[in-house]
Amino acid sequence: MKRIFLRILVAFPLAVLIVWLFTGFENTGRKAAYVNVYDWYGMLSKDVIRQFEQETGIHVRYDMYDNNEVLEAKLLASNPGYDVVFPSASPYVARQIAAHVYQPLNKTLLPNLCDLDPLITEKMVKIDAGMVYSIPYYWGTLGIAFDVDKVSALLPGVALDGYHILFDKKNLERLAPCGVSFLEEAVDVFPLVLAYLGRDRHKENIADLDESFRYLLTVRPYIRRFTSSRFINDLVMGDICIAQAWSGESQRAVAEGKSLGRNIRYIIPKEGTTLWIDCIAIPAGAPNPKNAHRFINFLLRPDISAKITNHSSIATAVQKGIPFVKASIRDDVTVFPSQEVMSRLQLDVPQDGSESSLAYDRQRTRAWAKVRLGRE
């Protein structure tokens, strides 16, 4: 009996050692779990990333960009190693899906994918029917941000409620001394100039494009710079007094200006404007697709989506998250517009890939380069 017990005592540590050799080395050699995220500047706060890491044990490698073209260049050139990206719906997601840039989402891994804003998902049908590859997440408008005191002084008696402030040649001439800024991408400027000139912004008409190009050349001397990110600081510091601007960034300019005693305002032009939607997608060949789905599902939680909106002042498409948004943001009609205003927002229809459509895009790109340079 003692001998049997002694054999057990000897065998037990040996068995433990064998198990450790086979499992311990595997565990110690196992790679740490990661998800590689490429997102817009200023969107996710550190506490949101930290909360995901604490809840899941997955480490987030977080890179940021400020231009859709930067993201697109990386996605089209090769697999950049990202697991989750946030491209704008139109025209980027549409043509990137056609180029097989993204992998289909596994919706069984996304139980929180429900109750998205129907007005937003209705627009997304034009981009990704059935949301096979992308999910609308952030959204907002393209409008005008300006220093109320400076602009009012330079445009006495002019109603500060529409695109005439920014596109009317006489108004621009008056505003030029205090600084005017336009966005830097052709897709953000030409459609609105076409609408201002009374042309159909959705019709790919070369003659209309040429008319808008020539009009932009006439106002080019009054435009100080073209930027999609710098206008916030420029407005707050007084380097410009008016800018074509995104709603989310403009809210930051309003808040920062207020802290400095500056009266900065953002308006959605009365004529209607561009609706923008930033989506969540997983690139084809993502190294950690399961972790990507866990990260996306985390972002779709109502409490998390609200936390992101509270940090960024950018609207969320997750409807169940809206009650958790601060009242000051939830009730701000420049962040969450009324349904009547929403009806006047336009999501540009993606190109159909035809030769005529591609020719129009090339012509617009060349025209825009000339506008920025200020020469025909």
Side-chain angles (χ1 to χ4, degrees):
M1 191 70 179
K2 287 182 179 180
R3 183 175 298 175
I4 292 173
F5 182 71
L6 183 61
R7 286 177 181 173
I8 291 173
L9 287 177
V10 173
F12 182 75
L14 183 62
V16 170
L17 177 63
I18 292 172
V19 170
W20 183 85
L21 286 172
F22 280 94
T23 63
F25 278 125
E26 180 182 333
N27 289 334
T28 56
R30 186 181 299 153
K31 292 182 179 179
Y34 288 98
V35 60
N36 304 309
V37 179
Y38 199 31
D39 193 8
W40 293 92
Y41 278 99
M43 296 308 301
L44 298 187
S45 60
K46 290 181 180 179
D47 62 321
V48 166
I49 293 174
R50 191 181 304 114
Q51 183 175 345
F52 173 78
E53 292 178 331
Q54 291 173 345
E55 290 185 12
T56 65
I58 299 171
H59 300 285
V60 179
R61 291 168 169 156
Y62 190 64
D63 292 334
M64 295 174 284
Y65 58 93
D66 64 357
N67 189 303
N68 269 295
E69 293 180 350
V70 172
L71 171 63
E72 184 171 74
K74 291 187 176 184
L75 292 173
L76 294 177
S78 63
N79 176 13
Y82 294 114
D83 299 303
V84 181
V85 294
F86 296 80
S88 294
S90 181
Y92 298 96
V93 168
R95 67 190 185 205
Q96 289 161 4
I97 289 174
H100 308 291
V101 163
Y102 303 116
Q103 61 178 268
L105 297 167
N106 183 348
K107 294 182 181 178
T108 62
L109 300 178
L110 301 173
N112 292 330
L113 180 57
C114 60
D115 196 40
L116 295 179
D117 188 324
L119 291 174
I120 301 301
T121 54
E122 179 185 341
K123 302 287 187 182
M124 278 299 297
V125 172
K126 302 175 183 178
I127 307 298
D128 181 9
M131 296 189 298
V132 175
Y133 298 95
S134 60
I135 299 169
Y137 193 66
Y138 314 127
W139 66 273
T141 54
L142 198 168
I144 306 172
F146 56 94
D147 184 307
V148 176
D149 298 328
K150 289 183 179 181
V151 172
S152 298
L154 291 169
L155 300 180
V158 176
L160 305 180
D161 60 358
Y163 267 119
H164 59 277
I165 316 172
L166 197 60
F167 293 151
D168 180 86
K169 185 176 179 180
K170 291 181 179 179
N171 289 339
L172 278 176
E173 187 176 4
R174 295 176 186 173
L175 292 170
C178 74
V180 177
S181 174
F182 276 28
L183 293 174
E184 63 185 343
E185 295 185 44
V187 295
D188 299 324
V189 179
F190 272 109
L192 294 169
V193 173
L194 283 166
Y196 176 73
L197 295 174
R199 305 295 178 256
D200 186 346
R201 62 181 285 169
H202 298 300
K203 188 176 180 181
E204 295 176 343
N205 184 297
I206 295 295
D208 290 348
L209 178 65
D210 186 62
E211 180 186 1
S212 62
F213 160 64
R214 296 193 179 282
Y215 184 78
L216 280 167
L217 284 179
T218 67
V219 300
R220 175 63 182 89
Y222 311 122
I223 303 171
R224 182 170 296 179
R225 63 176 56 96
F226 299 88
T227 177
S228 296
S229 57
R230 184 176 167 181
F231 70 83
I232 302 170
N233 187 65
D234 286 347
L235 273 172
V236 173
M237 300 307 296
D239 293 334
I240 61 173
C241 65
I242 189 167
Q244 186 188 24
W246 303 112
S247 54
E249 286 86 344
S250 296
Q251 299 300 332
R252 287 165 50 198
V254 170
E256 291 179 22
K258 187 175 182 180
S259 67
L260 297 174
R262 303 285 299 282
N263 186 10
I264 295 173
R265 182 187 302 169
Y266 172 78
I267 66 163
I268 299 173
K270 63 181 181 180
E271 305 93 334
T273 188
T274 298
L275 168 73
W276 60 264
I277 302 172
D278 287 342
C279 304
I280 312 177
I282 302 176
N288 307 291
K290 288 187 177 179
N291 294 346
H293 281 85
R294 290 191 70 180
F295 187 74
I296 294 170
N297 196 53
F298 173 79
L299 295 184
L300 291 170
R301 275 172 35 185
D303 61 317
I304 300 302
S305 64
K307 186 177 288 189
I308 293 169
T309 293
N310 287 333
H311 166 73
S312 65
S313 294
I314 293 178
T316 174
V318 180
Q319 278 201 315
K320 287 185 178 179
I322 295 175
F324 301 103
V325 173
K326 296 175 184 176
S328 59
I329 297 174
R330 187 176 63 242
D331 298 336
D332 188 334
V333 293
T334 65
V335 180
F336 290 99
S338 67
Q339 288 199 351
E340 191 271 330
V341 173
M342 289 290 291
S343 69
R344 298 199 303 272
L345 301 182
Q346 305 272 341
L347 182 67
D348 289 319
V349 177
Q351 299 171 351
D352 59 13
S354 65
E355 182 54 40
S356 63
S357 185
L358 293 173
Y360 181 87
D361 187 55
R362 288 192 294 268
Q363 181 73 8
R364 184 173 64 180
T365 300
R366 287 193 291 267
W368 185 238
K370 292 177 182 178
V371 168
R372 295 191 63 172
L373 291 171
R375 61 177 183 234
E376 293 193 44

